[in-house]
Amino acid sequence: MAEQLYTIPVNDAFTTDCECPICEMNRQLERNAIDYTMGPSYMEDDNRAMTDEQGFCAHHVRMLYAEKNRLGLALMLKTHTDKTIRDLKALSTGKPVVSGGLFKKQASSSVSDYIKRLEDSCFICNRMKETSMRYIDTIFHLWKKEPEFREKFANCKGFCTYHYGILYDEGSVKLPKDAYAEFQEILNKTYFAGMERVNGDIGWFIDKFDYRFKDEPWKNAKDSLPRGIIKTNHTIIES
């Protein structure tokens, strides 16, 4: 039953005019996570304990800095750096540090070990991760239960390479063999059609810089670079 909680965002994404519905779902998920982090939640002890321990990746700290709540970000950075200084001072003198939360029951015995764990963690990434995988589960739930969704899936503009790979692999686990064969056929057709379409648009974008084609129409090439970035890097470039 919990899977069905995500049918609305999944269906909405597959009706959106986008190059990868999963990227579109994650874009909204990321926006919600940023709003949550910079909202009243940063004053809650449980959330502050997690941001203190997990910190933020470079991508998400830039997004947080772009928000209006500079005081909230300053408070989170202050307590996070307090903890980092305290832990690294202990480790630098040979004392082990046992982390809680994300790193529960995991002890850092060296400075490099601690920093690697910290560099690999992000409060927003971790908040997004579980829901993002539930979106994938929901796609297969809808595929099995709703013929209308299968039609939406087949008619979308395809997927980025990263999410194509996830669907390709997860389908073999979440669908019976016969159903997976059908899914794989439609997934491949949709993915390659979308990639070839965008590839062609990028090619025409390049050709337009040749004086021989300067008076030719742009067709669908003007926005081919941000669409190509979605396809190849599963990153949405905001206009």
Side-chain angles (χ1 to χ4, degrees):
M1 293 298 293
E3 288 179 289
Q4 297 181 15
L5 295 174
Y6 298 98
T7 57
I8 292 175
V10 170
N11 270 306
D12 286 349
F14 273 88
T15 56
T16 301
D17 184 22
C18 63
E19 293 295 345
C20 178
I22 303 175
C23 284
E24 179 62 25
M25 285 185 271
N26 286 341
R27 183 191 67 80
Q28 187 58 55
L29 190 60
E30 181 178 59
R31 182 68 258 167
N32 292 342
I34 292 289
D35 291 344
Y36 175 84
T37 303
M38 298 307 292
S41 68
Y42 73 84
M43 294 300 293
E44 297 175 8
D45 290 342
D46 288 348
N47 283 318
R48 282 289 282 283
M50 287 190 286
T51 59
D52 287 351
E53 180 151 345
Q54 298 171 30
F56 303 100
C57 67
H59 168 67
H60 285 131
V61 82
R62 284 194 295 269
M63 291 186 71
L64 293 173
Y65 185 74
E67 296 295 303
K68 295 179 180 179
N69 189 354
R70 296 292 175 84
L71 175 59
L73 179 57
L75 289 167
M76 285 185 284
L77 289 178
K78 178 63 170 65
T79 54
H80 173 62
T81 54
D82 284 344
K83 184 180 187 306
T84 302
I85 292 167
R86 184 172 63 250
D87 289 349
L88 285 175
K89 276 187 174 181
L91 288 166
S92 68
T93 58
K95 299 175 183 177
V97 172
V98 179
S99 299
L102 179 68
F103 307 132
K104 189 175 182 181
K105 296 182 180 178
Q106 295 183 353
S108 297
S109 58
S110 70
V111 168
S112 60
D113 182 37
Y114 181 93
I115 293 174
K116 185 179 187 305
R117 288 182 187 276
L118 197 57
E119 284 296 304
D120 290 341
S121 74
C122 171
F123 175 75
I124 293 172
C125 290
N126 292 331
R127 183 173 176 82
M128 292 172 58
K129 185 176 180 180
E130 181 178 354
T131 303
S132 180
M133 290 310 299
R134 294 300 294 276
Y135 284 160
I136 301 297
D137 291 341
T138 302
I139 288 171
F140 291 107
H141 168 82
L142 291 171
W143 179 271
K144 289 185 285 188
K145 300 291 184 181
E146 297 186 10
E148 296 85 356
F149 178 77
R150 292 198 292 273
E151 185 175 347
K152 284 183 186 178
F153 187 102
N155 292 326
C156 77
K157 288 187 170 182
F159 304 92
C160 70
T161 300
Y162 176 72
H163 289 128
Y164 163 72
I166 289 178
L167 291 171
Y168 194 97
D169 290 341
E170 290 294 314
S172 65
V173 176
K174 293 184 167 60
L175 295 174
K177 187 175 181 179
D178 290 345
Y180 176 62
E182 179 189 7
F183 173 81
Q184 186 183 52
E185 180 181 358
I186 293 174
L187 173 65
N188 287 339
K189 181 178 179 181
T190 305
Y191 167 73
F192 287 112
M195 287 291 285
E196 289 166 359
R197 171 178 48 78
V198 173
N199 178 267
D201 291 342
I202 294 172
W204 185 242
F205 181 91
I206 295 168
D207 287 343
K208 279 292 293 175
F209 286 84
D210 187 323
Y211 74 94
R212 293 174 298 173
F213 302 105
K214 66 182 181 68
D215 294 326
E216 296 293 326
W218 276 92
K219 301 178 184 178
N220 294 320
K222 281 189 175 181
D223 65 345
S224 60
L225 287 182
R227 290 189 289 112
I229 289 169
I230 293 172
K231 291 294 195 188
T232 56
N233 296 88
H234 59 100
T235 297
I236 294 177
I237 305 296
E238 300 288 355
S239 58

